[in-house]
Amino acid sequence: MITINMKTIKKVILLFGGFTLLLSSCVEDDSVALPAAPENPKLDLTQYTRADAGVMMQGFYWDVEPRGEWYNVLNTKVADWANSGINRVWLPAPGKGASGGFSMGYDPSDYFDVGEFDQQGTIKTRFGSRAELENLIQNFHANNIEVIADIVMGHNSGGGLQANPFRGGEEVYSLFDENNGNASGKFNRNFNHFHPNEIHNADPQALFFAETDLCHDQPYVQDWLWERDDSVGEFYKSLGFDGWRFDYVKSFDPKWVKAWNDKIGGFSVGENFDGNEQVLKDWVDASGSPAFDFAMFYRLDETLDRAKDLSALGNEGNMLRKLDPANAVTFVANHDTEKDENPDNRISYANKLLAYAYMLTHDGYPTIFYSDYENEAFKPQLKKLIQIYNSIATGAIEIIEANENEYIMKRAGNGDNPGLILYMNISDKATQYDISTNWVNAKIVDYADNSRFTPTTDANGNVTIYAPGKSYTIWSLGK
């Protein structure tokens, strides 16, 4: 029991999950007894672990530190990520970049140098040595986590100058050999392997490094990237990589992703940086690969930050996950959005957990950003949300309400799995909503721990649910 002195206190304000209860009293006794906090009313969610569950971790942020030690840093995270329900980790592009020890991998020079050749001013990549990479992958595998490599096959950097006759003799950095940024001696390249060349003029959107935009129509390029037994893809698979994240897929035809996957195999996801859900769906259909759901990302940014109106979350078909949930890889932040100074290209810190609550209760395959998960202000709640996704975030989705301040969604569950109800509230004040559930005469609990109320449904499954201001609750069956 809890006792409070009432001699001088006439009014006591109690806060329960964001709701205010005002008690007035004229009691002159020394104390008044209040009920103790209830025991944990939640069910053990491990009994509902889904076979199709799993969450991917983006295992890096822009300009990771310390340079040359990132693989070793990640090795200290493996057990915790595995215990939290992570089943895949996306690692940065492993090859040596033109900027050497400063490279984040997006300026690929030598695909086969993963930290063992002395070139571009370093032996290690920014992330570590080949031995450290292989050790990290083995550790992930020992903890039942697949490892995804970032594949940058649209453009190259760091080669030597040579005249390109297809550019009127202009000198461009298109010579890659043992003395020019390709110490491995594998996949040596020259001007004819970039655009324009004798067989192909340009890719659709070669916005970066146009002079060294790789031409995948060249059989030599196809052979070295994925067709040969000692290709880039086969080499990365031999290191232990289980799948692929294709960088900036707008810069080459989606059929090349399909060709890679047909030959190399494994999970894949494409970065088609576009907020139009139909553009994403068309790319998925053409490539046969899942894609990051930039449409969902921008809808969340729009509703939570710009419009401050959740109504659009109720619209049909405005995200890839609504059109094709099996091929939608959802996310709230990544290395690009978090370094973008334009606030319209990132979800604000204040609304991050609301966005994660949406993502980790809906369908699609969710990705957690390293810097968010390893932020101690977010980590406890993200661990809860990951467990919720991996257990009771299942069954048909029904949108109950989507207005300026509230978004309420119900997952029907299946079999013995009870499903859940998400209640998002972006107003300043606590709100409540009368809802019809699938649970009859049952106590329900907020598994996000943002409300301590434990209401009981009636004989028809009706109940009032609650959400604190600028927060969310996730309701399901209690004990």
Side-chain angles (χ1 to χ4, degrees):
M1 302 288 284
I2 301 171
T3 59
I4 57 176
N5 191 294
M6 298 296 292
K7 280 191 174 180
T8 58
I9 300 175
K10 297 290 186 178
K11 295 181 179 179
V12 182
I13 297 176
L14 303 180
L15 296 177
F16 290 99
F19 290 85
T20 303
L21 178 62
L22 184 63
L23 302 179
S24 297
S25 176
C26 296
V27 178
E28 294 299 330
D29 294 334
D30 284 346
S31 63
V32 61
L34 295 177
E39 63 178 315
N40 181 12
K42 295 187 292 185
L43 298 174
D44 178 7
L45 294 186
T46 60
Q47 66 182 302
Y48 301 118
T49 299
R50 300 185 289 120
D52 61 342
V55 173
M56 184 159 67
M57 176 73 74
Q58 178 176 356
F60 62 98
Y61 57 91
W62 195 257
D63 287 345
V64 295
E65 295 287 353
R67 294 193 300 276
E69 296 297 324
W70 191 243
Y71 295 142
N72 293 330
V73 170
L74 292 188
N75 241 327
T76 68
K77 311 292 184 183
V78 176
D80 175 60
W81 293 359
N83 290 335
S84 293
I86 301 300
N87 74 327
R88 288 191 179 100
V89 59
W90 156 27
L91 294 185
K96 187 70 62 67
S99 48
F102 292 90
S103 172
M104 283 300 295
Y106 296 103
D107 54 348
S109 176
D110 190 338
Y111 289 96
F112 291 89
D113 179 5
V114 295
E116 59 181 318
F117 294 93
D118 190 356
Q119 62 177 331
Q120 309 293 17
T122 182
I123 295 177
K124 284 188 173 186
T125 67
R126 185 178 191 120
F127 316 112
S129 68
R130 174 174 176 169
E132 290 164 346
L133 170 61
E134 291 180 305
N135 180 55
L136 175 63
I137 292 174
Q138 289 172 8
N139 194 10
F140 275 124
H141 286 169
N143 284 271
N144 298 313
I145 297 176
E146 290 191 357
V147 187
I148 309 304
D150 208 322
I151 304 297
V152 186
M153 67 177 193
H155 57 269
N156 289 172
S157 304
L161 274 173
Q162 67 175 169
N164 185 340
F166 299 100
R167 289 183 173 273
E170 175 190 357
E171 285 196 330
V172 297
Y173 292 95
S174 56
L175 179 61
F176 292 81
D177 59 22
E178 291 84 342
N179 298 314
N180 294 278
N182 202 52
S184 70
K186 295 184 176 182
F187 194 19
N188 284 337
R189 287 145 280 165
N190 60 47
F191 64 80
N192 206 44
H193 305 126
F194 301 97
H195 290 115
N197 58 59
E198 61 188 1
I199 65 170
H200 196 225
N201 184 49
D203 276 328
Q205 295 188 56
L207 301 181
F208 302 115
F209 307 101
E211 296 83 0
T212 50
D213 178 62
L214 270 173
C215 178
H216 304 90
D217 288 82
Q218 286 283 8
Y220 178 87
V221 173
Q222 298 175 33
D223 287 346
W224 272 110
L225 284 177
W226 64 80
E227 288 290 352
R228 295 169 57 117
D229 290 340
D230 59 348
S231 67
V232 173
E234 294 291 353
F235 171 58
Y236 287 173
K237 191 160 65 172
S238 75
L239 293 172
F241 283 107
D242 306 286
W244 327 105
R245 179 265 187 187
F246 293 100
D247 178 66
Y248 191 55
V249 298
K250 283 181 177 291
S251 69
F252 50 89
D253 196 293
K255 67 183 179 182
W256 304 127
V257 169
K258 186 177 188 306
W260 173 296
N261 286 334
D262 287 346
K263 176 62 169 61
I264 306 299
F267 171 84
S268 74
V269 56
E271 184 213 22
N272 194 329
F273 210 125
D274 200 300
N276 185 309
E277 63 280 355
Q278 192 58 53
V279 169
L280 300 177
K281 181 67 168 69
D282 291 345
W283 186 87
V284 165
D285 292 342
S287 68
S289 170
F292 282 111
D293 195 349
F294 280 88
M296 190 200 84
F297 167 78
Y298 280 114
R299 296 301 88 73
L300 288 173
D301 177 54
E302 170 194 342
T303 55
L304 291 171
D305 286 341
R306 284 177 275 158
K308 295 179 173 32
D309 183 344
L310 300 182
S311 301
L313 295 181
N315 294 347
E316 293 185 5
N318 61 351
M319 304 174 186
L320 178 60
R321 54 150 288 269
K322 294 181 180 181
L323 299 180
D324 191 353
N327 286 305
V329 179
T330 54
F331 69 101
V332 167
N334 64 30
H335 60 296
D336 285 321
T337 64
E338 289 301 289
K339 69 181 176 65
D340 196 324
E341 295 182 359
N342 182 355
D344 290 347
N345 284 332
R346 65 175 183 271
I347 294 171
S348 67
Y349 186 92
N351 286 323
K352 276 280 184 72
L353 286 178
L354 277 160
Y356 275 113
Y358 179 93
M359 180 180 76
L360 289 161
T361 51
H362 288 75
D363 47 17
Y365 178 47
T367 305
I368 307 293
F369 182 49
Y370 175 93
S371 298
D372 290 338
Y373 180 87
E374 294 299 334
N375 182 340
E376 290 303 321
F378 291 160
K379 190 172 186 175
Q381 193 66 2
L382 286 177
K383 289 168 91 62
K384 293 175 189 175
L385 290 171
I386 291 169
Q387 184 182 41
I388 288 168
Y389 176 84
N390 282 335
S391 55
I392 55 175
T394 190
I397 292 174
E398 179 185 356
I399 297 174
I400 306 298
E401 181 66 39
N403 59 46
E404 181 178 359
N405 291 321
E406 298 167 294
Y407 174 80
I408 303 172
M409 178 275 297
K410 179 165 66 174
R411 301 286 310 254
N414 53 61
D416 293 332
N417 193 311
L420 58 78
I421 296 171
L422 168 69
Y423 189 176
M424 295 170 61
N425 169 27
I426 63 171
S427 72
D428 293 329
K429 298 179 180 179
T431 54
Q432 64 184 51
Y433 194 91
D434 295 332
I435 190 171
S436 176
T437 76
N438 300 329
W439 313 311
V440 175
N441 295 324
K443 178 188 292 185
I444 65 171
V445 179
D446 170 28
Y447 281 79
D449 290 327
N450 289 327
S451 173
R452 293 181 62 189
F453 283 103
T454 55
T456 299
T457 64
D458 65 18
N460 296 313
N462 299 317
V463 70
T464 301
I465 57 175
Y466 309 90
K470 297 188 181 301
S471 189
Y472 57 90
T473 48
I474 301 172
W475 301 92
S476 192
L477 284 179
K479 292 180 181 178

